[in-house]
Amino acid sequence: MHGDEERAARPGPAPSPAERRAEAAIERLTEALAMAGGLILTGVAAMTVASVAGRYLFGAPIPGDYEITELACGVAIFAFFPYCHLKDANIVVGFFAGGLPRRFRAALDAAHNLVFVAVAALIAWRLGVGAMHKLGDGETTVFLGIPVHWGYFPALAGAAWLTAVCAWTLRRRLRELAR
């Protein structure tokens, strides 16, 4: 048992209506972001198929397909991270903690989430610094001339949302620890 099922099985006070609404809103936005990431990757896959087919059938690949793939995949990855964290789908070492008492596991989960908040905030901060640097220097991709900062800012939004989701999850874990 892990994630939502384990939380549902724990005794304790039920979340308030405001908390349930906030949780539902966070889940909806997180799922929408993940779906957008999926659509981006679907588009990249379709473009790759078209480019490879064009290269072999007509000697005409899609110009700059590598550049588009690189930018789009970076954005898609940051669209998936918040969903992965919210659903407890990140890789954790549950093998060693599985037999420990619930309270100790809750403490480990809280510590893990605290570290994850810090790492997500660090990533968001550095993406922000990088985005401003790329915006300032006007760097573009080689073939298509796409401004590189176009990939940074959507990834920054995903990283910022990841930080918020991690903070929400930490709050939830601390409440579980207090039970």
Side-chain angles (χ1 to χ4, degrees):
M1 183 164 44
H2 193 270
D4 295 331
E5 300 87 21
E6 185 175 333
R7 274 192 298 282
R10 293 180 187 153
S16 71
E19 289 172 320
R20 285 195 301 272
R21 283 192 303 274
E23 181 82 22
I26 289 168
E27 284 190 22
R28 280 193 306 274
L29 183 55
T30 301
E31 288 171 358
L33 190 59
M35 291 297 288
L39 290 173
I40 290 169
L41 284 185
T42 300
V44 167
M47 180 200 62
T48 300
V49 168
S51 186
V52 169
R55 179 176 293 119
Y56 287 105
L57 297 175
F58 309 111
I62 295 174
D65 58 349
Y66 289 102
E67 297 172 349
I68 295 168
T69 298
E70 181 179 25
L71 290 172
C73 285
V75 170
I77 286 167
F78 280 98
F80 294 137
F81 279 153
Y83 181 82
C84 193
H85 188 74
L86 188 65
K87 297 299 182 180
D88 287 330
N90 290 315
I91 297 172
V92 294
V93 183
F95 178 76
F96 297 108
L100 297 174
R102 183 197 64 80
R103 190 154 175 78
F104 191 77
R105 283 193 322 254
L108 284 176
D109 282 346
H112 163 256
N113 277 275
L114 178 63
V115 170
F116 215 123
V117 168
V119 169
L122 177 67
I123 290 170
W125 169 57
R126 294 311 303 167
L127 274 171
V129 169
M132 295 309 295
H133 177 74
K134 296 300 179 187
L135 179 64
D137 71 14
E139 182 179 342
T140 62
T141 60
V142 175
F143 295 109
L144 297 179
I146 300 170
V148 173
H149 70 269
W150 285 7
Y152 273 79
F153 284 108
L156 172 59
W161 185 243
L162 171 63
T163 304
V165 167
C166 288
W168 177 263
T169 306
L170 173 61
R171 179 184 174 282
R172 190 169 58 194
R173 296 290 191 221
L174 290 173
R175 283 186 58 138
E176 291 171 4
L177 185 58
R179 292 183 191 176

